[in-house]
Amino acid sequence: MKRLPALLSPDPLAPFPPAECALDEPDGLLAVGGDLSPERLLNAYRHGIFPWPSEGYPLLWWCPDPRTVFRTDGVRLGGKFRRSLRRCDWIVRADTAFAEVIAACARAPRRGQGGTWITPEMEAAYLRLHRLGHAHSVEVYAGDALVGGIYGVAIGRMFFGESMFSACSGGSKVALAALARRLHEWGWPLLDGQVENPHLLGLGAESMPRPRFLAQVAALCAIAEPPGSWAERFGDWPASRLADPASAGPIAEA
């Protein structure tokens, strides 16, 4: 008899089932139902679980095995792309345009996908988390124009990436690489990429067995880091700093 995912309690504070209860097919499907309240979302991320809606189904919650992660000193940028950044005047900032970043991610075309999983309900939920200081965006600007970005959730010293976009070629790469650099400088070792795809692997993502990932998430989420805006902490960060491996620090060259 085919095993089914757990049905979540209506109580947003109710615990999730253990991650080892997740299905093998589809990989990582753990539970259905519930809501996108801040309490439930933060509880999910603390346990390595994330929502990933699918049209026509109740809300779906996932914890795949293995997990796709970036080490914040392991993002790779190609040499040609790095050299192009030497003349780049883009500036990277954080938490200056969260709503615009998540809206752009929702509109971005995805290879092999006819729609988006970032529903209006998802947008509203992460905007609430952002206002509470738990969800953050990193924006790449060319003058006043937003040319790329990434957003996700931060708990303790763990960052859970959700989605990124490019309005100009390379915009999302710069957002990811700059985010990884700043996280590494702050002592945050991991950035969750959720599910493997060729683009993430090409940028240096790696697979981590779920038990090891969950152990690291538990330890990193337990470190005290107060929520709040990253705008001042991140500062204005020139993308041209990524051009030189020596000055770019931990960001590796492909």
Side-chain angles (χ1 to χ4, degrees), residues 97-110 113 115-120 122-124 126-127 137-141 145-151 162-168 171-172 175:
F98 186 92
E100 291 86 345
V101 168
I102 192 171
C105 289
R107 294 192 303 266
R110 310 288 178 185
Q113 296 182 22
T116 180
W117 53 268
I118 307 175
T119 62
M122 289 282 282
E123 284 194 55
Y126 285 87
L127 280 166
S137 59
V138 170
E139 305 94 22
V140 184
Y141 288 95
L146 187 62
V147 297
I150 185 172
Y151 79 94
E162 276 293 315
S163 188
M164 54 186 180
F165 83 98
S166 290
C168 291
S172 63

Side-chain angles (χ1 to χ4, degrees), residues 81-92 140-143 147 168-171 174 237-243:
F81 181 67
R82 278 189 184 280
R83 289 190 291 274
S84 73
L85 291 174
R86 290 174 185 162
R87 301 175 300 278
C88 182
D89 61 358
W90 291 355
I91 296 295
V92 189
V140 184
Y141 288 95
V147 297
C168 291
S169 179
V174 168
W237 206 86
S240 58
R241 290 182 63 186
L242 299 172

